[in-house]
Amino acid sequence: MTSFPWQSAFDIREHIASGATTAVDVTRAYLARAEELNPKLSCFLYVDHEGALAAAAQVDRMRDAGEELGPLAGVPVAVKDNLCTRGVRTTCASKILGNYIPPYDAHVVEALRASGAVIVGKTNLDEFAMGSSNENSAFGHVHNPWNVDRAPGGSSGGSACATAAGLVPLALGSDTGGSVRQPAAFCGITAIKPTYGRVSRYGLVAFASSLDQVGPIARSVREASLLLEVVAGHDQRDATSADRARGAYHAACSRGVKGLRVGVVRDQIDGLQDSEVRQAVEAALTSLEKEGATLVDVALPHARYAVSVYYLIAPAEASSNLARFDGIRYGLRVPDKDLSDTYAETRGQGFGPEVRRRIMLGTYALSAGYYDAFYLRAQRVRTLIRHDYDTAFESCDLLCTPTTPTPAFALGEKTSDPLEMYLADIFTLPPSLAGLPALSTPCGLSADGLPIGIQLVAPSFDEERLCSAAQVVEDACGLVNSPPPAFA
Ligand code: GLN
């Protein structure tokens, strides 16, 4: 399982550094695979042949000159299309930004380039990262590589699909309420939503600024940890970026869980209607216990309000963030008889139905007379949810929940019922509202061959603990060596 396209980022770098292969050859092979499979999967919105080959050639030049190579030298990486890439179209899967070419790189993109990574393309997503199935993209559905009639999850469905199907070993996504964790669970891979403030949001197109974080996606916990190490760190250009040293996430994968108190959010697990998800999560918990962790039951009494709270706060912030797309400064412009008609026509035609729904919901929640009843109250409950975690972390060091209530649902299954779709995020929203780091990693397969994920949640800025525990789960019940059969 270590041959193309399933080699790890570590192997790829090693083979390039030792001279066994070149970065250009590696890149050509992955570009050819993307060319072949993207028409089936639609995970890439744009494959940057020229840019990728130029970055690879630069790595080869550095190697030939005996210069020190970065931690991702020559490793192909896919980037979600809501992260700005200088000179390369960044659409947010929206018609309103269909032709937008940013004049600058996001912080995380700069970090990737500095590490020697080869950015092979921009991945599909739900428009402006609003969605849980990738069906809200203006540029077509992404398919789940485990079963192409199923959703890959959202909103980072393109990044998750590309990684799971072996089009790249690593990808970046963004997570506001579950958008790296839920697609990772659906596609059988690992993703980390870092602590709010851990990774700079500079150059990430804003959806809900008090929640948005960039997150690494990979087929193994070790690779996700390495990618987090590359992109984490303080950045003055994001006022909410935390001035804290990044952790040794990769090293933490070898630490084990001996003596760790793992909090089991009992009612979330016992309440699962899907018995396969319940059994897989229980099996992962048993594996943690076997390796020396102690399980303790904990409760998050206010977590059941998370869907209501999130779907007030996130749309409210989106309605103000998306006000900048007015047909004047960026992207699409639909000229009309006067300025206000130009705004209305541009926004009416440029945004898809879910984005328009969120803008309307959010504008309503923020409007005079309703602000206290909706937005302010939601903020108060958000504080109660954070307090639930503070209390829980008095008796444990780490929390475990399912990532999603079910494995991947069918494409089209939930598109006519937004509330059903929103409920797909029931377990990923609470840690997002509390700003906590959370990780999803596979813990089994359903009888019909669909991956199941477990979510681990740690105290603020303790991503290392997530990596240590996730590695134990991966060793016991991960899918690293069993890629989706149709693409193996
Ligand atoms: N699915 C959630 C939503 O639709 C979360 C999306 C995200 O994390 N970007 O808002």
Side-chain angles (χ1 to χ4, degrees):
M1 192 44 62
T2 48
S3 58
F4 174 82
W6 307 107
Q7 293 138 307
S8 73
F10 300 101
D11 293 341
I12 293 173
R13 182 191 181 280
E14 176 52 37
H15 291 156
I16 292 168
S18 72
T21 185
T22 66
V24 166
D25 281 347
V26 169
T27 301
R28 282 213 182 99
Y30 279 97
L31 287 172
R33 187 164 167 89
E35 202 64 39
E36 179 200 337
L37 295 178
N38 199 45
K40 282 187 204 135
L41 294 167
S42 289
C43 49
F44 278 108
L45 290 176
Y46 177 66
V47 176
D48 185 13
H49 290 256
E50 217 176 290
L53 287 169
Q58 170 67 9
V59 170
D60 289 337
R61 265 196 301 276
M62 287 173 70
R63 194 225 160 240
D64 293 345
E67 290 173 35
E68 200 182 321
L69 297 179
L72 294 180
V75 177
V77 181
V79 172
K80 188 176 180 178
D81 207 26
N82 62 351
L83 286 162
C84 288
T85 40
R86 186 175 171 176
V88 174
R89 212 154 47 112
T90 300
T91 67
C92 293
S94 179
K95 282 198 266 180
I96 212 158
L97 282 179
N99 291 318
Y100 176 58
I101 297 183
Y104 68 105
D105 277 332
H107 174 86
V108 292
V109 171
E110 283 175 356
L112 282 180
R113 295 195 202 283
S115 74
V118 170
I119 298 176
V120 296
K122 306 296 295 289
T123 54
N124 209 342
L125 65 151
D126 286 297
E127 185 175 3
F128 284 101
M130 298 178 192
S132 310
S133 68
N134 231 288
E135 290 162 298
N136 297 333
S137 167
F139 306 124
H141 299 167
V142 179
H143 299 267
N144 189 318
W146 293 84
N147 176 338
V148 291
D149 298 325
R150 302 273 168 159
S155 63
S156 311
S159 287
C161 168
T163 307
L167 276 61
V168 280
L170 302 175
L172 286 179
S174 68
D175 189 310
T176 303
S179 274
V180 296
R181 289 162 284 160
Q182 188 252 18
F186 279 12
C187 292
I189 53 176
T190 295
I192 307 173
K193 197 288 281 184
T195 311
Y196 185 77
R198 173 59 91 191
V199 178
S200 170
R201 293 180 295 114
Y202 176 77
L204 165 66
V205 179
F207 160 16
S209 307
S210 76
L211 295 153
D212 298 340
Q213 271 293 290
V214 177
I217 297 175
R219 287 191 296 267
S220 70
V221 173
R222 284 204 158 81
E223 290 166 277
S225 308
L226 173 70
L227 183 51
L228 178 60
E229 232 164 273
V230 166
V231 297
H234 184 232
D235 173 24
Q236 284 184 337
R237 296 168 298 186
D238 169 3
T240 61
S241 160
D243 192 0
R244 300 176 72 120
R246 85 190 70 190
Y249 310 116
H250 178 226
C253 295
S254 311
R255 235 195 251 159
V257 292
K258 208 154 268 144
L260 204 71
R261 296 167 305 164
V262 173
V264 180
V265 186
R266 242 320 127 205
D267 60 336
Q268 290 189 0
I269 295 173
D270 291 349
L272 281 169
Q273 281 169 13
D274 189 309
S275 58
E276 290 183 302
V277 176
R278 193 167 58 234
Q279 282 158 16
V281 171
E282 295 282 8
L285 291 171
T286 307
S287 69
L288 288 165
E289 206 174 16
K290 262 202 209 125
E291 290 303 312
T294 319
L295 304 185
V296 289
D297 284 354
V298 295
L300 300 172
H302 297 92
R304 63 197 169 102
Y305 302 115
V307 174
S308 317
V309 168
Y310 174 87
Y311 280 97
L312 279 164
I313 291 175
E317 294 184 12
S319 83
S320 85
N321 273 326
L322 271 56
R324 74 192 65 173
F325 303 106
D326 56 8
I328 307 299
R329 287 170 286 191
Y330 304 90
L332 181 74
R333 177 183 302 174
V334 184
D336 211 309
K337 40 186 189 310
D338 60 26
L339 186 61
S340 88
D341 287 342
T342 298
Y343 288 156
E345 277 306 312
T346 300
R347 289 168 66 81
Q349 293 183 31
F351 290 132
E354 181 61 24
V355 174
R356 291 204 299 271
R357 175 173 17 248
R358 305 255 181 137
I359 292 173
M360 285 189 279
L361 278 173
T363 307
Y364 183 80
L366 289 175
S367 57
Y370 295 106
Y371 182 89
D372 289 5
F374 293 118
Y375 187 71
L376 201 64
R377 188 175 296 182
Q379 288 289 17
R380 291 203 174 114
V381 182
R382 182 178 187 176
T383 304
L384 294 175
I385 292 173
R386 197 172 308 137
H387 288 167
D388 281 355
Y389 282 101
D390 293 342
T391 309
F393 284 130
E394 283 169 12
S395 61
C396 68
D397 308 305
L398 186 80
L399 287 177
C400 280
T401 80
T403 308
T404 56
T406 64
F409 46 81
L411 285 165
E413 187 180 324
K414 296 184 194 288
T415 38
S416 58
D417 186 347
L419 197 57
E420 268 295 306
M421 190 70 92
Y422 298 168
L423 287 170
D425 305 325
I426 193 161
F427 302 129
T428 51
L429 293 175
S432 294
L433 289 164
L436 297 172
L439 174 155
S440 178
T441 200
C443 61
L445 280 181
S446 72
D448 43 7
L450 294 171
I452 296 169
I454 184 170
Q455 175 176 246
L456 310 175
V457 184
S460 282
F461 297 103
D462 204 350
E463 286 84 358
E464 282 153 299
R465 220 176 280 181
L466 295 179
C467 299
S468 314
Q471 185 63 49
V472 168
V473 173
E474 178 178 292
D475 290 342
C477 37
L479 301 174
V480 176
N481 294 317
S482 30
F487 295 89

